[in-house]
């Protein structure tokens, strides 16, 4: 064993090499499944594997213990090759109680490993999970390798001398499971040891207990005969550079901060707590030392309005939200369109309509973002496609907002926000410049023209209050171009409507050609946007390996669309578009290009599985063949 | 204050080239005049001053002031102004709003501006009617008001705006009247001097849709008897000869005192910690008692933007970090 170290040495059982593993931890929302998954992720990233994660948790903070709605899960996939998704079906399922078993067992791969906590399989536990019989005894587990461990008893034993009370001891049981998995998958315990020590630095007895239980789990797996084999997943070949593991909300926050810094502006986040966007507020509220001001407003409307006020005064105004909050912000975004102020709106989409399923994912706010305001109210809309891509998209949003003096809506979603992947860190010095030109002090006797325009971009000047000689009035009423005076003239209104639209259309002048995976002509083009990227890429690259003439592209810019999109689509016999909505982008493309884009829609609150897309695309390929033969 | 950088200001310096388009005879004209007078007296520089309004007749105000101005959307002026003041506390930020704008659609932003004590000066033109939409009852209209939308009289009970602001934690609360130019100008000067949110309710006559709303106490022949001037450190006296006073019982219920009891008149303290006397005056019946004008409450309290930007300043001095440092946080690893 060439990569053996102090915590994985002593492995004497058989070792099998794998190129990838999908693990899902499932338990009560109080069982620490997210933390367990997070620890496994950190360690695995540090060991050089490619990794993708998918937390899936209920909206209730603590749903009644042991019930089906209270089940929280964390899926991760790690590999020795480049991966695009957290995987479809798990190879290993860890369940802490019958409810978790009931919800997740159906997903476990045939032949997969089921690690079961037997401590919570009493009659009451089974009843809460709506099991009539104990599934351990009725043959339900046929086809799976089942490992039963009484995690609570083993944990209590490991903590016999701990000063913690029994309840606190029980809470460490997830660490026993983690220890077992660390042994099974040949993981290094050091990063977790360090991280737990740091995380609970003020509570040494908690640190000791957690680590003791994890080590006990590791030793248990090593010594008992239940575990025959350990597995090894060698590191993945990755581009050279410095990496960190990043979640989408984190990356998005860093992207806007880096851009604000590059632009030399004070950043002002006006926001209101909402799932799954709140972490953006949490993170940015810790960046005061970087000049980031965060304002937790009284409601979603005040949140966006305060950001507009900040932009008006010469700061970089940002607001973050999710679907229901977007609905509330609509009128104010229209004001920013009319006042032609820079504004960045971060919409971490969730399953709607209405309150919907706050912790589940969806991409159904696209039409709302592009069109969801009164009047002709064009804004720029861009979308993040992976957790780390959210950094670049946040940065791009700020660049566009400042260059064109326009609101930019960034679409992320719950899957990106809480999912994670290794991120090749960019060199901040090499990020694109974001020049900001405030209108200079006015000369005496000269009247400032707030709607005079840059002939190339059509952006109006940004006049910071406090600057001499630039006093002017703006507002939501239609105004005369150049002077900004209120104006009801028919020709002027038509001109202003056209100008605001043209200004947004001009953004397309900046866009590079669409990046495709595969040639720019062929049988099938799979288009996607946002978080479907991973599942689409995985399916398309597989079909390409089988020799099919299929390519794919993930669109970052959704309004305006890239100029080469029409030509790209016309290079294929068929264009298909998987979306986690009822076909919103597909409708837009059909409308704009008169191309019969086939929509593949799924709106169940879950991300696409790549095998589902694969099946659909296989059918599409054969359909496109038939069309040719006819 | 006189220097090249801070020239002496005159009323006319604040006038814009736009025609003022309120209805002839509207109370808004005299308010505009009083604001320009107060600003000139205070030497407010055009470029340092920002006026933010919502929607309604009153909210046209910024177009008539040669300062920075932002005519925004219905009810949201305090929220937008909060963003302006919080991101640049050096600006002198004024909000102009009406009773429909601030008390109805923008009620939430109004109370939260009060609660936070943001350094905004809020002038609320209260005409107790929706004027721009042509005459529906407002949240400040008296119950039973007959309007286009309440032909049988409104069922709604009205807000007492000063009481609402007091309950929301307002630190400077005052009232004046459109036709009392000197008093209004003086009140605006006092509001300007306050740190934190200053709220001035201005009774304003809408001569088209609610003409004479305040006639019962503003007409010259009744004014002395019907208006109570709040003066800091002075007893609450009214009447042409100051021969009547307001006293409070043990439960802060007001009653009128005269003659030998005049010495029982309550001595007004606008800086009092307890909101009880101000609440009593803000809610007492207009029919039974004189209408108080002047400063109801003035309390020193650090402004929101000072605390907000203060945290940023302290954080900047304590922790230096580049964007590179920021990106390199957490567990990082190198791939060669």
């Amino acid at each position: 064993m060439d990569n053996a170290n102090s915590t994985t040495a002593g492995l004497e059982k058989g070792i099998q090499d794998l190129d990838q593993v999908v693990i899902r931890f499932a338990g009560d929302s109080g069982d620490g499944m997210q933390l367990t998954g997070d620890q496994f992720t950190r360690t695995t990233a540090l060991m050089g594997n490619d990794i993708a994660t998918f937390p899936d948790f209920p909206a209730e903070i603590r749903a009644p213990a042991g019930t089906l709605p209270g089940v929280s899960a964390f899926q991760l996939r790690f590999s020795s090759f480049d991966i695009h998704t957290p995987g479809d079906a798990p190879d290993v399922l860890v369940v802490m109680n019958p409810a978790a078993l009931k919800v997740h067992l159906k997903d476990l791969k045939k032949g997969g490993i089921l690690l079961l906590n037997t401590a919570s399989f009493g009659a009451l536990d089974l009843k809460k999970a709506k099991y009539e019989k104990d599934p351990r005894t009725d043959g339900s587990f046929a086809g799976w390798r089942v490992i039963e461990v009484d995690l609570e008893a083993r944990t209590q034993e490991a903590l016999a001398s701990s000063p913690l009370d029994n309840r606190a001891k029980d809470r460490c049981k997830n660490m026993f499971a983690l220890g077992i998995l660390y042994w099974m998958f040949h993981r290094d315990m050091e990063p977790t040891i360090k991280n737990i020590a740091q995380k609970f630095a003020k509570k040494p007895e908690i640190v000791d207990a957690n680590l003791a239980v994890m080590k006990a789990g590791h030793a248990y797996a090593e010594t008992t005969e239940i575990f025959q084999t350990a597995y090894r997943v060698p590191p993945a070949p990755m581009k050279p550079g410095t990496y960190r593991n990043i979640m989408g909300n984190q990356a998005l926050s860093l992207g806007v901060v880096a851009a604000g810094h590059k632009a030399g502006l004070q950043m002002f986040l006006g926001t209101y707590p909402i799932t799954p966007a709140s972490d953006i507020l949490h993170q940015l509220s810790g960046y005061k030392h970087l000049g980031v001001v965060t304002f937790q407003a009284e409601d979603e409307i005040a949140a966006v309005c305060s950001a507009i006020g900040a932009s008006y005064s010469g700061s970089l105004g940002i607001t973050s939200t999710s679907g229901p909050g977007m609905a509330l912000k609509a009128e104010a975004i229209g004001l920013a369109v009319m006042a032609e102020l820079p504004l960045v709106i971060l919409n971490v989409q969730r399953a709607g309509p209405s309150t919907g399923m706050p912790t589940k994912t969806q991409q159904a706010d696209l039409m709302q973002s592009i069109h969801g305001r009164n009047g002709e109210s064009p804004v720029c809309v861009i979308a993040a496609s992976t957790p780390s891509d959210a950094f670049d998209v946040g940065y791009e949003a700020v660049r566009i907002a400042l260059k064109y003096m326009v609101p930019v809506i960034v679409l992320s979603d719950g899957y990106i926000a809480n999912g994670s992947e290794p991120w090749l860190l960019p060199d901040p010095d090499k990020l694109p410049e974001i020049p900001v030109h405030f209108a200079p002090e006015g000369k005496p006797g000269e009247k400032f023209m707030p709607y005079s325009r840059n002939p190339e971009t059509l952006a109006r000047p940004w006049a910071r209050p406090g600057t001499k000689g630039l006093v002017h009035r703006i507002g939501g009423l239609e105004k005369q171009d150049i002077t900004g005076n209120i104006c009801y003239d028919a020709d002027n209104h038509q001109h202003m409507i056209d100008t605001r639209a043209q200004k947004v259309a001009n953004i397309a002048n900046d866009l590079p050609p669409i990046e495709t995976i595969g040639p720019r002509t062929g049988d099938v083009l799979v288009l996607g946007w946002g978080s479907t990227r991973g599942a689409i890429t995985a399916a398309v690259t597989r079909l390409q390996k089988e020799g099919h003439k299929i390519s794919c592209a993930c669109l970052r810019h959704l309004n305006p669309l890239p100029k080469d999109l029409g030509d790209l689509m016309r290079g294929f016999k068929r264009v298909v578009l998987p979306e986690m909505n009822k076909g919103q982008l597909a409708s837009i493309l059909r409308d704009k290009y008169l191309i019969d884009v086939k929509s593949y829609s799924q709106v169940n609150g879950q991300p696409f599985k790549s095998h589902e897309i694969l099946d659909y695309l296989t059918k599409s390929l054969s359909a496109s063949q038939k069309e040719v033969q006819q | 204050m006189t220097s090249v950088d801070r020239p002496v200001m005159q009323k006319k310096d604040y006038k814009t080239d736009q025609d003022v388009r309120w209805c002839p005879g509207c109370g808004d004209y005299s308010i505009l005049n009083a604001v320009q007078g107060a600003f000139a007296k205070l030497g407010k520089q055009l470029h340092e001053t920002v006026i933010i309004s919502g929607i309604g007749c009153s909210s046209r105000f910024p177009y008539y002031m040669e300062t920075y101005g932002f005519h925004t959307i219905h009810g949201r002026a305090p929220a937008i102004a909060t963003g302006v003041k919080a991101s640049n506390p050096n600006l002198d930020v004024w909000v102009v709003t009406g009773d429909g704008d601030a008390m109805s659609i923008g009620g939430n932003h109004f109370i939260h501006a009060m609660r936070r004590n943001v350094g905004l000066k809020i002038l609320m033109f209260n005409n107790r009617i929706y004027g721009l939409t042509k005459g529906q009852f407002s949240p400040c209209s008296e119950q039973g008001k007959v309007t286009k939308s309440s032909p049988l009289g409104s069922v709604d009970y009205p807000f007492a705006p000063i009481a609402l602001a007091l309950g929301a934690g307002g630190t400077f609360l005052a009232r004046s009247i459109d036709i009392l130019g000197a008093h209004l100008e003086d009140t605006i000067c006092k509001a300007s001097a306050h740190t934190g949110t200053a709220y001035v309710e201005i009774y304003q006559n809408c001569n088209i849709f609610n003409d004479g709303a305040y006639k019962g106490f503003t007409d010259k022949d009744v004014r002395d008897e019907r208006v109570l001037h709040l003066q800091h450190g002075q007893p609450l006296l009214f009447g042409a000869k100051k021969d009547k006073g307001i006293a409070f019982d043990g439960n802060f219920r007001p009653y009128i005192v005269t003659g030998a009891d005049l010495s029982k008149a309550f001595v007004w303290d606008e800086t009092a910690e307890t909101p009880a006397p101000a609440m009593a005056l803000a809610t007492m019946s207009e029919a039974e008692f004189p209408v108080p004008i002047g400063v109801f409450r003035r309390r020193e309290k650090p402004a929101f933007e000072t605390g907000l930007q203060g945290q940023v300043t302290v954080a900047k001095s304590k922790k230096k970090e580049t964007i590179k440092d920021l990106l390199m946080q957490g567990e990082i690893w190198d791939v060669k």
Side-chain angles (χ1 to χ4, degrees), chain A residues 209-433:
Chain A
N210 274 289
L211 298 182
V213 173
M214 177 175 72
K215 287 175 187 168
H218 194 270
Y220 175 84
E222 192 180 332
T223 51
T224 59
E225 293 188 348
I226 311 171
F227 303 92
Q228 300 300 322
T229 324
Y231 303 91
R232 196 161 48 186
V233 179
M238 295 174 88
K239 270 191 200 162
T242 303
Y243 284 80
R244 80 184 259 200
N245 204 54
I246 194 94
M247 288 162 67
N249 273 346
Q250 289 177 321
L252 193 52
S253 306
L254 290 172
V256 291
V257 170
H261 198 262
K262 191 66 107 178
L265 295 175
Q266 169 181 263
M267 193 184 129
F268 181 98
L269 175 78
T271 189
Y272 186 78
I274 185 168
T275 301
S278 302
D279 281 340
I280 295 171
L281 166 61
H282 304 158
Q283 188 168 351
L284 293 180
S285 63
Y287 293 161
K288 294 188 171 59
H289 61 289
L290 294 161
V292 175
V293 179
T294 53
F295 173 60
Q296 185 177 312
E298 59 270 23
D299 58 32
E300 294 280 358
I301 299 172
V304 63
C305 284
S306 65
I308 291 171
S311 282
Y312 171 74
S313 78
S315 291
L316 171 58
I318 296 189
T319 188
S320 54
T321 190
S322 187
M326 276 304 280
L328 286 165
K329 290 178 197 297
E331 186 195 12
I333 296 171
L335 175 67
V337 168
M338 201 66 162
E340 302 192 35
L341 286 167
L343 177 70
V344 174
I345 302 120
L346 309 174
N347 176 8
V348 185
Q349 299 166 99
R350 65 190 216 186
S354 187
T355 311
M357 300 192 289
T359 57
K360 307 299 176 192
T361 197
Q362 208 163 86
Q363 329 177 266
D365 298 352
L366 177 64
M367 288 286 199
Q368 181 197 31
S369 298
I370 296 177
H371 301 296
R373 289 162 297 285
N374 58 306
E376 290 288 348
S377 182
V379 299
C380 174
V381 181
I382 62 178
S385 59
T386 72
S388 69
D389 184 56
F391 176 87
D392 296 330
V393 167
Y395 197 92
E396 171 76 345
V398 172
R399 182 193 73 78
I400 293 172
L402 296 174
K403 180 172 175 184
Y404 292 90
M405 296 287 284
V406 73
V408 179
I409 295 175
V410 174
L411 294 175
S412 173
D413 64 38
Y415 179 47
I416 295 171
N418 293 311
S420 70
E421 64 177 355
W423 176 35
L424 175 58
L425 292 175
D427 179 349
D429 297 333
K430 290 183 184 155
L431 292 169
E433 291 301 324

Side-chain angles (χ1 to χ4, degrees), chain A residues 42 45-46 48-49 191-192 194-195 236-245 254 257-258 261 266 268 286-299 301-303 305-313 315 331-332 335 339 341 391 422-423 425-429 431 447 463-477 484-486 488, chain B residues 4-7 15-18 21 45-52 55 60-74 76-89 91 105 108-110 112-113 115-116 118 304 308-309 311-336:
Chain A
R42 286 162 180 272
L46 288 173
N49 295 110
T192 299
K194 269 194 207 153
N195 185 265
M238 295 174 88
K239 270 191 200 162
T242 303
Y243 284 80
R244 80 184 259 200
N245 204 54
L254 290 172
V257 170
H261 198 262
Q266 169 181 263
F268 181 98
Y287 293 161
K288 294 188 171 59
H289 61 289
L290 294 161
V292 175
V293 179
T294 53
F295 173 60
Q296 185 177 312
E298 59 270 23
D299 58 32
I301 299 172
C305 284
S306 65
I308 291 171
S311 282
Y312 171 74
S313 78
S315 291
E331 186 195 12
L335 175 67
L341 286 167
F391 176 87
W423 176 35
L425 292 175
D427 179 349
D429 297 333
L431 292 169
K447 198 166 157 46
R464 242 185 322 192
T467 314
K468 281 184 186 169
L470 299 184
V471 289
H472 65 282
R473 272 64 57 191
I474 57 170
L477 285 172
N485 293 332
I486 300 174
Y488 280 73
Chain B
V4 182
D5 284 342
R6 301 195 70 80
K15 292 193 164 65
T16 66
D17 60 2
Q18 300 292 298
R21 287 195 204 160
Q45 300 300 300
L46 305 181
H47 67 282
E48 293 170 352
T49 311
V50 181
I51 303 177
I52 297 182
I55 293 293
R60 292 293 184 105
F61 198 89
Y63 294 112
Y64 311 134
M65 290 291 290
E66 189 64 14
T67 62
Y68 283 92
F70 197 175
H71 177 212
T72 70
I73 46 177
H74 207 6
R76 318 302 170 199
I80 290 168
T82 296
V84 175
K85 188 71 179 174
S87 52
N88 186 356
L91 295 170
I105 193 167
N108 200 28
H109 312 307
F110 177 81
H112 286 279
R115 172 176 72 83
R116 292 193 186 98
V118 191
F304 176 73
L308 192 71
Q309 288 287 352
Q311 287 187 344
V312 171
T313 309
V314 171
K316 276 181 174 171
S317 71
K318 278 192 178 160
K319 191 171 172 187
K320 305 277 178 217
E321 206 174 45
T322 64
I323 292 298
K324 188 161 193 170
D325 298 334
L326 187 68
L327 299 188
M328 300 278 273
Q329 275 165 16
E331 279 137 320
I332 58 163
W333 70 96
D334 287 314
V335 173
K336 300 235 181 325

Side-chain angles (χ1 to χ4, degrees), chain A residues 160-196:
Chain A
S161 59
S162 163
L164 296 181
D165 62 34
N166 281 347
R167 245 187 102 190
K169 285 179 184 175
D170 266 351
R171 266 191 232 128
C172 298
K173 63 177 182 284
N174 59 322
M175 297 301 285
F176 199 91
L178 185 64
I180 293 176
L181 288 172
Y182 276 2
W183 181 85
M184 279 176 76
F185 294 102
H186 212 193
R187 304 286 97 182
D188 184 358
M189 286 195 282
E190 274 311 315
T192 299
I193 293 172
K194 269 194 207 153
N195 185 265
I196 295 283

